Each structure stands twice: as structure tokens, then as C-alpha cells.
């Protein structure tokens, strides 16, 4: 991941904290309309450099450039991150130009590789995280979501998603996250989602909202084991990529229509986790599953 590319890869930002890689609440999904960069409402896009301490900026075609600033070119294929003066990693100042597509791909590869992975890019996992209570919905597609500190509501949506309730390295505030699934999230052929940091820590407790995706359920009297099976010490499902391949953890398998004629499965893999019980009714009773 090129230094200084955070201005273009941190999409769906909810709580930027410390540059250069502020992805405190980011969704790194396949780009369809180009990356989005947060800009303070008081900054005129034609004078971007002034707000960041550089010279007055100018606009050339579809480019916005400044003495200190960032820009994305036409078609979202090129980006420029430039700061007056020489590159200084200690001050988080970088001067580079490159392809936004390749920068996003590099960030996604680092995310899949995980902290301490083989590619050596760990800034996503060593940044300071914000403390807001965020609502993040990845929508359709294979998403990579890192929510940061705070009591967050995280929905991956359709596709095979990789989710962090926190991510980063610095814990602050509360971190009681709710991971949510809804009717149709498994699609028509099934899906595999991974949560990499699910659990209870420092007095915080994560939860799973699964019941809204169940088809044909009449109410609390129904035996949930017709829809949901829970396994401890399970191998990561086939098809799981990156740092999760070859690991073990808790696996939740949901047949979305229970005893119905369909066999669409939503699998949720809790990497490295051992649940206190595999009885789904008990997990509902103790508030772990909603």
C-alpha cells in the first residue's frame, strides 16, 4: 500500500483520527463509483491547499490540486497526495502519485492478510481508533469492514464479508458491538462471513442479530435448532481467504428457511473464538444472539 494513500482508500469514514491511514470506521468494498474523500465543509475545493497549510490550490479539468492536499482524477483512476516540503513519515507527510484502483487493491490485500501478515503492511491494524458509536452497512458485495472503538452496529449485507468490531491497536471507551444479518443477506446461493475479533473483553460484550434472517419462523416458541447450528473448534469454512484460512474457531450455520425445501446456508465464522455454549436457545437466553 503506497504511503499516504489514506486520502483515497478510507471510504465510508465515520471517525477519522490519526493519519496517514485513518480507517477508524471504513468499508473497503470493490469500487464502483470511485473513492470518496471527506472534506470539511469550510474548504473551497478550488483552494484546498490553503486549508492544509500549502499554497492556493487550482482546478484543472477534473483534477483538484493544491499546495498541500489530495485529488482524484477523472474516472477515479489517478490520485495525487502532495504536501509542501519533503516526505516526512514522522509527521505523516507523503508525496506520491499513483493509481487509485491499485491503492485500494493494496489496502484490501493488507486487510485480508491481517496484522503481522506476510505482506508486512500493518498500518491498518496499528492506527489509533475513534470512539464513536457507528452504524455501518456494507450492502451488496464482498466487504471488509473495520468499525473502531464504540458500540457499533455492523451489517455486512449480501456477499462474503470480513468484519472487525474494533480493529486497530488502541482500545478506548466501550466496544459493545452488534453484528446484524437480515432476510436475504445469504443471497440465493449462500454466503460466508467472518468476524475476526468477536467476543467479550474489558467488560464489553459483542452480540449477533440472527433471528431477522430466518424464514418461516412463527415466534419464540419455535425450536431455533431447525434453523441454526453452532459448532466450536470448527475449521474455517472452505473458501475463506487471507489470514483466516487454516484457522479454527466457532462456526454458526444458518439454513435460512429451516425445515423448508430450500438449502441456502449463511455461515458465520468467529475466528479464534470458543463460545461458552453451542446451544442456540441458551445463546438467545443470555443475550449473545438476538
Amino acid at each position: 500500500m503506497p504511503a499516504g494513500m489514506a486520502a483515497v482508500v478510507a471510504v465510508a469514514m465515520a471517525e477519522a483520527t490519526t493519519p496517514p491511514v485513518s480507517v477508524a470506521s471504513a468499508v473497503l468494498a470493490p469500487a464502483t463509483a470511485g473513492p470518496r474523500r471527506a472534506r470539511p465543509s469550510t474548504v473551497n475545493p478550488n483552494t484546498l491547499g490553503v486549508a492544509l497549510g500549502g499554497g492556493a490550490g487550482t482546478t484543472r479539468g477534473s483534477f483538484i490540486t493544491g499546495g498541500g492536499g489530495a485529488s482524484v482524477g477523472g474516472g477515479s483512476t489517478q490520485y495525487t497526495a502532495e504536501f509542501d516540503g519533503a516526505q516526512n513519515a514522522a509527521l505523516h507527510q507523503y508525496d506520491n502519485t499513483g493509481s487509485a484502483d491499485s491503492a485500494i487493491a493494496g489496502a484490501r490485500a493488507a486487510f485480508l492478510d491481517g496484522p503481522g501478515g506476510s505482506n508486512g503492511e500493518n498500518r491498518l491494524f496499528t492506527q489509533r481508533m475513534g470512539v464513536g458509536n457507528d452504524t455501518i452497512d456494507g450492502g451488496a458485495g464482498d466487504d471488509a469492514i473495520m468499525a473502531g472503538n464504540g458500540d457499533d452496529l455492523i451489517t455486512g449485507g449480501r456477499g462474503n464479508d470480513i468484519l472487525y468490531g474494533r480493529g486497530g491497536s488502541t482500545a478506548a471507551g466501550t466496544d459493545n458491538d452488534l453484528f446484524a444479518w437480515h432476510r436475504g443477506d445469504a443471497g440465493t446461493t449462500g454466503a460466508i462471513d467472518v468476524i475476526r475479533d468477536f467476543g467479550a473483553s474489558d467488560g464489553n460484550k459483542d452480540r449477533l442479530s440472527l433471528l431477522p434472517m430466518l424464514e418461516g419462523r412463527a415466534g419464540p416458541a419455535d425450536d431455533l435448532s431447525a434453523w441454526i447450528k453452532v459448532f466450536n473448534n470448527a475449521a474455517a469454512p472452505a473458501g475463506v481467504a487471507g489470514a483466516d484460512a487454516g484457522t479454527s474457531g466457532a462456526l454458526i450455520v444458518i439454513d435460512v428457511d429451516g425445515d423448508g425445501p430450500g438449502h441456502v446456508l449463511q455461515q458465520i465464522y468467529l475466528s479464534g473464538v470458543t463460545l461458552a455454549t453451542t446451544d442456540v436457545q441458551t445463546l438467545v437466553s443470555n443475550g449473545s444472539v438476538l
Side-chain angles (χ1 to χ4, degrees), residues 14-267:
E15 42 187 49
T17 53
T18 300
V21 189
S22 292
V23 195
S25 292
V27 180
L28 299 178
T32 57
R36 296 171 293 180
R37 176 176 51 79
R39 180 166 59 233
S41 59
T42 57
V43 177
N44 185 316
N46 293 332
T47 57
L48 179 60
V50 175
L52 297 179
T58 61
T59 300
R60 298 191 182 99
S62 58
F63 284 81
I64 300 172
T65 62
S71 67
V72 177
S76 302
T77 59
Q78 295 293 321
Y79 75 90
T80 300
E82 189 275 325
F83 295 84
D84 286 346
Q87 176 169 307
N88 187 326
L91 297 178
H92 309 303
Q93 295 178 350
Y94 301 90
D95 295 310
N96 59 48
T97 299
S99 163
D101 290 342
S102 64
I104 292 171
R108 187 173 182 84
F111 194 106
L112 289 172
D113 198 42
S118 59
N119 71 4
E121 176 52 77
N122 292 312
R123 283 176 293 172
L124 286 170
F125 307 101
T126 59
Q127 63 183 321
R128 291 180 58 190
M129 307 300 292
V131 296
N133 300 329
D134 306 312
T135 296
I136 303 172
D137 188 338
D142 300 335
D143 306 310
I145 298 176
M146 181 182 289
N149 293 300
D151 301 336
D152 305 312
L153 171 58
I154 304 162
T155 304
R158 286 198 179 195
N160 302 315
D161 307 314
I162 300 177
L163 314 172
Y164 281 95
R166 176 183 285 158
S169 63
T170 304
T174 58
D175 191 37
N176 301 293
D177 299 316
L178 176 61
F179 298 87
W181 283 260
H182 302 283
R183 186 75 57 87
D185 279 353
T188 58
T189 59
I192 302 172
D193 295 332
V194 176
I195 303 177
R196 284 183 169 174
D197 61 353
F198 182 85
S201 61
D202 303 324
N204 298 305
K205 181 180 180 180
D206 293 336
R207 298 168 295 156
L208 303 168
S209 177
L210 307 178
L211 304 188
M213 79 178 312
L214 306 184
E215 299 175 5
R217 178 173 178 259
D222 286 339
D223 181 2
L224 291 175
S225 65
W227 288 268
I228 303 174
K229 302 290 191 297
V230 183
F231 307 90
N232 275 328
N233 303 313
V240 166
D244 307 296
T247 63
S248 62
L251 179 64
I252 300 171
V253 180
I254 303 170
D255 187 330
V256 297
D257 74 342
D259 292 330
H263 297 286
V264 176
L265 301 181
Q266 170 70 63
Q267 299 183 68

